[in-house]
Amino acid sequence: MKNVIRGIARGAATIIAAVSALAVPGVAHADGPIPEPYIAGCPDSGYPVPGNPSQSCTSMTNGALFHGKHHPDSTRTRIYSQYKKTSGSAITARLGYNYAGTNHWGDWFTQSAGTTKTKDWYTYDYDFWCNNTVGLLNVSGQGTFQTPISRCA
């Protein structure tokens, strides 16, 4: 009985947190990009939404790399990495994330200044959003860049 009550309370807390996040400016939603003002850069803290460590970012010379997780519906967790390229010459790159020491990569793409690329992954593990993950950008000839850890609060 005690475990059932804990489960109900945990589910209610998750729903309240998800609904509350809808009202917070800057929180990425189901299939949308991270809203302004964060899209063009990243604050020094590495977390675009104060108090929400499920999204992280890294400012780079020619853009910003973003990474995060959230619930697009009642059964899945969306994991995403996004690169907003603001200047510089075109690059060949791929987006990814690291979880538990394993890198997960999207396909290679070419990106020019003034564009945003996003790669999404989905898992049916609803609690995955609390796991520590790191966003990755692998640029051909330049190496791999990463965000701070994305985790639940």
Side-chain angles (χ1 to χ4, degrees):
M1 182 67 160
K2 195 176 194 180
N3 287 337
V4 171
I5 292 171
R6 281 188 190 146
I8 292 169
R10 183 176 171 195
T14 300
I15 291 169
I16 290 167
V19 170
S20 298
L22 294 175
V24 178
V27 173
H29 300 292
D31 291 311
I34 298 170
E36 293 290 349
Y38 306 112
I39 199 69
C42 175
D44 290 339
S45 69
Y47 296 95
V49 181
N52 182 4
S54 69
Q55 296 179 51
S56 59
C57 58
T58 298
S59 288
M60 300 167 64
T61 303
N62 293 317
L65 173 62
F66 295 87
H67 174 68
K69 301 177 294 284
H70 71 95
H71 296 125
D73 55 43
S74 63
T75 61
R76 300 178 300 162
T77 299
R78 174 186 177 227
I79 306 126
Y80 65 91
S81 292
Q82 180 181 74
Y83 181 59
K84 166 70 175 184
K85 184 162 178 54
T86 56
S87 62
S89 58
I91 59 170
T92 298
R94 60 184 175 165
L95 289 162
Y97 74 97
N98 180 284
Y99 167 63
T102 300
N103 292 339
H104 303 267
W105 294 108
D107 293 334
W108 289 95
F109 57 84
T110 300
Q111 184 174 6
S112 56
T115 63
T116 300
K117 297 287 186 178
T118 304
K119 172 61 181 159
D120 298 310
W121 297 265
Y122 291 90
T123 177
Y124 282 94
D125 179 353
Y126 193 77
D127 293 328
F128 186 83
W129 76 282
C130 274
N131 290 321
N132 290 344
T133 58
V134 173
L136 301 171
L137 175 68
N138 179 227
V139 180
S140 180
Q142 295 182 35
T144 301
F145 305 88
Q146 66 182 46
T147 67
I149 293 172
S150 172
R151 59 181 173 74
C152 66

